[in-house]
Amino acid sequence: DTEVTQTPKHLVMGMTNKKSLKCEQHMGHRAMYWYKQKAKKPPELMFVYSYEKLSINESVPSRFSPECPNSSLLNLHLHALQPEDSALYLCASSQGGREKLFFGSGTQLSVL
Amino acid sequence: GDSVTQMEGPVTLSEEAFLTINCTYTATGYPSLFWYVQYPGEGLQLLLKATKADDKGSNKGFEATYRKETTSFHLEKGSVQVSDSAVYFCALVDPGYSTLTFGKGTMLLVSP
């Protein structure tokens, strides 16, 4: 299994809603990542988990809250988002070091 | 810090034409280099990679050679197809950081 699975594929939420994005991988990778991608832009790193511990937070607003319940799962909890947070949210995993990242197909998020 | 510079797009070609997308990088260490491809509405897929100088990555007719002397990793394909239309991202992983640094992406449009 060389897939990173993200759910849901699409999400529409209001600014007062609370929702969660989910990501799963069964490749035994030790590093997992959240990226945000706006249209026609490259992905921007948000968070990195290494061995289930948060190792990098790229100054992301607290309305985004990551969680890594175990080595296969990564969540991104969303609360009180703004319309400018609308984007494609990509999860990725890797063995770490200089190894390649495997990306999921993303969650297209729209904040109304 | 690390950076990746790609040629501006879109690149517009006719089917069976030769493709080159330029990519140059700056890095403090000895990075691994990657090309990722993103088809409309999807996540990123690894196209090819190279981990050391003079390595050639290849996949699906695409090739790129890690040139340390010119800090380049240009993507080439001898004969493009309509199905190659996508956005192509050059990226590097600095071993000290284990995170991807992306170029801005180059859109390729291939017409029949």
Side-chain angles (χ1 to χ4, degrees), chain A residues 51-109:
Chain A
Y51 291 110
E52 303 170 45
K53 294 191 187 307
L54 184 65
S55 60
I56 295 176
N57 177 343
E58 292 285 353
S59 303
V60 179
S62 60
R63 57 186 184 268
F64 295 91
S65 175
E67 178 196 21
C68 190
N70 60 55
S71 60
S72 299
L73 294 174
L74 185 66
N75 298 322
L76 185 63
H77 302 298
L78 314 173
H79 175 54
L81 294 193
Q82 304 297 311
E84 59 264 29
D85 296 322
S86 297
L88 180 68
Y89 288 84
L90 294 165
C91 175
S93 70
S94 80
Q95 290 285 15
R98 300 162 78 234
E99 291 301 311
K100 62 191 176 190
L101 270 65
F102 290 80
F103 283 85
S105 56
T107 295
Q108 187 65 54
L109 173 68

Side-chain angles (χ1 to χ4, degrees), chain A residues 13-67:
Chain A
M13 60 186 290
M15 289 189 284
T16 58
N17 292 157
K18 287 185 180 180
K19 297 286 184 183
S20 297
L21 310 185
K22 298 185 183 302
C23 175
E24 190 168 3
Q25 58 90 12
H26 295 287
M27 294 177 278
H29 288 169
R30 68 175 181 86
M32 295 187 77
Y33 310 76
W34 280 115
Y35 283 84
K36 173 183 177 180
Q37 187 180 25
K38 301 285 273 187
K40 300 185 179 181
K41 298 289 187 183
E44 299 173 6
L45 183 65
M46 300 175 72
F47 303 104
V48 180
Y49 273 81
S50 179
Y51 291 110
E52 303 170 45
K53 294 191 187 307
L54 184 65
S55 60
I56 295 176
N57 177 343
E58 292 285 353
S59 303
V60 179
S62 60
R63 57 186 184 268
F64 295 91
S65 175
E67 178 196 21

Side-chain angles (χ1 to χ4, degrees), chain B residues 67-78:
Chain B
R67 300 285 188 201
K68 188 167 180 294
E69 63 277 12
T70 55
T71 62
S72 64
F73 193 54
H74 305 321
L75 182 68
E76 296 182 335
K77 187 176 185 183

